[in-house]
Each structure stands twice: as structure tokens, then as C-alpha cells.
Amino acid sequence: MVVGEEMTTAQSVRQRLVDRTVGGSRKFLGRLKKRFSPRGLILAYHRITEVSSDPWGLCVSPRHFGEHLEILTKHGPVLRLQQVVEAIDAGDLPRRAFAITFDDGYADVLHNAKPLLDQFRVPATVFVTTGEGRQKRGFWWDELDRLLLQTDRLPDTLRLGINGETYTWELGPDTRSKEEDSWRSRSWKAWEEAPTERHTLYRTLWQLLIKLPENEREQVLDKLTAWAGVTPAVQPPDALLSSQEIATLAADGLVEIGAHTVTHPLLSALSVSAQREEIQQSKTSLERMVSRPVMSFAFPYGNFAPETVSTVCEAGFSCACSTAVDIVTEDSNRFQLPRVQVMDWDGEVFASQLSKWLSRG
Ligand SMILES: [Zn+2]
């Protein structure tokens, strides 16, 4: 009995050791395979322009974007996103394949990026958010930026009710935007230390607003606009792609239009049926605009729940891009394609960043 028990214990210990060893070597083999298998990169851009404030690093200057394209075309084939997906399926991904994507649907992609894509004959995919709210007032993060970081003078105290809670903020000496702050505002990124109370407030409100449904968020923005004493924010008419511009961008086939929902929500916070509506509706309206099937999708904020992935698949898309930072290999899941976000780097920094990314794994 005792012997039996001892044996059982010894066996289970051994089994655990075997499991660990085999598991470990499997992981090691997995890593090794990843290291030596063909690897590609899907690059995520948003805007090709220069603006006075860019807290999320969404803008790359046209000059830098031109330098990026020159480097990309020298170092590997730049494929269409759909070609990358086909290559993953077929197991014949070229060794250094690149694909270019743009999120959100800013008009500078047509006016500034497209001529450069034409010049280098490089394809790209543009993921467009289709809702009417987008056309009326632009994206909420841009409105928040204009109100808090680009308004000369703000009142001392802000009292706001958000999602059933009342918040109070004091701006103190930062009610007036000081000359010496302006360069900091221009270069400040939301993940860096906040240089003034305005920046702290911007980041705090961003975190609160991202979780709200669109209509509640717009109510908060209306209150903020009244508090700031500025005329209701109107997105410059050329800031976002109109339906006509989306059709123009897609016309010669170099640029693929992909879907990016209707209202740019945090999909994982929505019911399955609301997710389905966001995903399916953006596909349908874009297909109407470009008169061809829309096959690629990108998750807003890179956010999704397990059921979001199956919903995208059922809606008839052939791939979806996340914001998980990684290389693409033949083992990548085509409905959770990793991407790397490109910042406003010059050619030299961009080239070294590319080799850093490509040596991951
Ligand atoms: Zn987006």
C-alpha cells in the first residue's frame, strides 16, 4: 500500500517533470521556428500630416513618410494586406514582407499619402470609421485635444458629471496657456509625464470618455465646449475622408478600403448584437461607396473580445488587424494580425526600428 502510494507519487512527480520538459522544449521549438521562419511586418499609420498638437503620435510628416517608403521598397516586397493573408494561408510568406495600413480615415491619407504611394507604386489598406458623427464633429480625441490643449484660456474649475459620478478639477495657474508651454504641448505624448494640469486633465478625461457610448460622450463634450467658452467644435471640413473621397482613394485599386466600425467603440464593452451591427454596417456602407467587396477589418483601439473575432469572420471579412506589437509569420492568426505603430521618425530611425522589430521573437 505504502509502496503503491510512493510509486504513485513518484510517477506523478515524474509525469509533471516530463510534461514540463516536453512543454518547455515545445515552447523552445516554437520560438526557434518563429525565429527562422519567414517574417513580415504590418505597419500601422494614422495620418500623414503635421499638426500643432499630437498627443497620441498619430501624425507622420509627408517628408518622413516618403523616406519610409524608400526604405521599405529597398528592403522587401511591400504587399497588399490581402496578399499577406493569402501567403500566410499558403505557407509562402516572403522573408521580409511588409504591408502598410492607415486607421480611422483621415483625409490627409488621400491628399498627402496617396501621391507618395503612387510615386513608389506601393499598395496600402485604409481602415475607415463610417458613422455620421465622424463627419459632423470628427473624432472625440481630436475634439478633446482642441478644447483642452489648444484653447488659450480656460476657466479655473471644471465640474463634470460622467457616468453617474461628479468630478471636479482645478487648473490653477494653468488656466492660461503659457507661451513657454506651447512647444511642450506640441511635442507632448500622452504616455509621458504631464507638463501642466491641462495635460493631466486631458489624459484623465480621455480615460473616462473612451468607455462611454457615443451619445453620452458627445453630451460631455458639449458641456466641455460650453465650459471652455469656445464656439462648438467644428472639424475642419477637410480633416476626414468624405464618401466621395473614399471612392476616389479606392478608384485605381492601389489602396484597399477596410472597415473600422461605425462609431469607433470599445467593441468588447458592447453586446454581441451591437458589435455585429457596428462591424456589419461599416462593411455595407463602405461597399456601397467603393463598389467592391470590403474584406479587411481593424479593431478600434485594438480592442476585442473572443466573440468579436468570430463576428468579424461571420460578417464575411477575410482578416482583421489588431494592435498587438509583433511580427507576422506563417503561424499568425489572420483574424488577429499583429501590427507595429509607426511614429514620426526620419528614415534613419525608421530603418533601425524596422530591424529591431524584425529581430523579435
Ligand atoms: Zn482607430
Side-chain angles (χ1 to χ4, degrees):
M1 197 52 199
V2 171
V3 172
E5 269 180 16
E6 274 175 358
M7 254 184 77
T8 313
T9 310
Q11 274 171 344
S12 68
V13 168
R14 193 179 55 195
Q15 192 57 53
R16 276 207 303 276
L17 280 173
V18 169
D19 286 350
R20 210 178 296 159
T21 312
V22 173
S25 63
R26 249 188 230 134
K27 258 189 215 155
F28 174 72
L29 284 174
R31 275 204 301 272
L32 206 65
K33 190 174 165 210
K34 193 173 170 190
R35 183 143 196 91
F36 291 103
S37 62
R39 44 188 49 215
L41 278 178
I42 302 176
L43 307 171
Y45 290 87
H46 291 81
R47 309 190 59 178
I48 302 301
T49 189
E50 286 168 286
V51 293
S52 58
S53 172
D54 184 18
W56 296 101
L58 302 183
C59 299
V60 171
S61 74
R63 184 168 61 86
H64 286 166
F65 185 58
E67 290 174 21
H68 298 182
L69 292 181
E70 198 174 336
I71 288 161
L72 289 171
T73 46
K74 255 187 219 151
H75 286 86
V78 185
L79 304 179
R80 291 168 192 281
L81 184 60
Q82 289 295 329
Q83 285 178 307
V84 171
V85 174
E86 284 160 22
I88 290 172
D89 277 0
D92 62 0
L93 188 70
R95 284 210 73 76
R96 269 177 190 224
F98 300 113
I100 294 176
T101 66
F102 295 90
D103 279 16
D104 300 335
Y106 285 96
D108 45 69
V109 174
L110 171 67
H111 302 301
N112 300 338
K114 180 64 167 52
L116 288 161
L117 294 169
D118 287 340
Q119 187 187 323
F120 286 89
R121 296 304 302 157
V122 166
T125 297
V126 181
F127 294 108
V128 179
T129 301
T130 55
E132 275 178 22
R134 179 190 70 94
Q135 276 302 327
K136 261 192 294 179
R137 59 197 293 170
F139 286 109
W140 66 269
W141 55 84
D142 289 332
E143 200 171 337
L144 192 64
D145 173 16
R146 277 195 300 278
L147 287 171
L148 296 182
L149 303 181
Q150 300 183 55
T151 306
D152 280 344
R153 198 180 179 107
L154 292 170
D156 294 339
T157 308
L158 170 63
R159 226 171 258 116
L160 263 186
I162 300 174
N163 215 5
E165 295 232 19
T166 304
Y167 297 85
T168 306
W169 291 277
E170 303 284 344
L171 287 182
D174 296 327
T175 54
R176 181 174 278 281
S177 172
K178 293 182 256 344
E179 192 50 44
E180 66 264 29
D181 287 338
S182 65
W183 68 269
R184 286 195 290 181
S185 278
R186 272 200 295 277
S187 59
W188 180 70
K189 296 290 170 272
W191 50 88
E192 296 169 356
E193 198 186 331
T196 73
E197 284 303 315
R198 283 170 176 249
H199 295 81
T200 308
L201 179 58
Y202 172 86
R203 193 161 52 200
T204 311
L205 280 174
W206 191 94
Q207 284 165 330
L208 290 167
L209 292 184
I210 191 175
K211 296 179 204 148
L212 295 184
E214 191 177 42
N215 58 340
E216 286 178 38
R217 188 161 52 219
E218 287 185 354
Q219 284 169 18
V220 175
L221 285 168
D222 288 343
K223 281 186 213 158
L224 264 178
T225 305
W227 167 78
V230 297
T231 42
V234 177
Q235 183 80 10
D238 61 346
L240 298 172
L241 289 165
S242 66
S243 310
Q244 186 51 52
E245 286 173 324
I246 292 167
T248 307
L249 187 57
D252 66 5
L254 192 63
V255 168
E256 176 204 17
I257 300 296
H260 198 43
T261 71
V262 179
T263 68
H264 206 282
L266 276 173
L267 283 168
S268 70
L270 302 183
S271 67
V272 177
S273 65
Q275 291 186 43
R276 192 174 302 126
E277 197 140 307
E278 283 276 354
I279 292 164
Q280 187 69 62
Q281 241 188 61
S282 63
K283 186 177 198 287
T284 311
S285 36
L286 288 169
E287 286 178 343
R288 218 175 297 130
M289 289 176 213
V290 300
S291 308
R292 65 180 69 159
V294 167
M295 301 307 291
S296 305
F297 183 81
F299 304 106
Y301 314 108
N303 166 272
F304 57 90
E307 73 271 10
T308 319
V309 177
S310 45
T311 308
V312 169
C313 178
E314 285 157 21
F317 290 98
S318 67
C319 69
C321 289
S322 74
T323 51
V325 178
D326 205 355
I327 50 163
V328 175
T329 69
E330 286 164 5
D331 292 329
S332 296
N333 178 341
R334 57 146 111 170
F335 285 101
Q336 291 174 52
L337 292 169
R339 287 189 294 174
V340 291
Q341 191 185 327
V342 183
M343 310 286 284
D344 189 21
W345 297 311
D346 64 21
E348 202 177 314
V349 177
F350 176 70
S352 78
Q353 191 61 50
L354 277 187
S355 58
K356 252 187 242 164
W357 281 324
L358 283 166
S359 60
R360 286 174 72 98

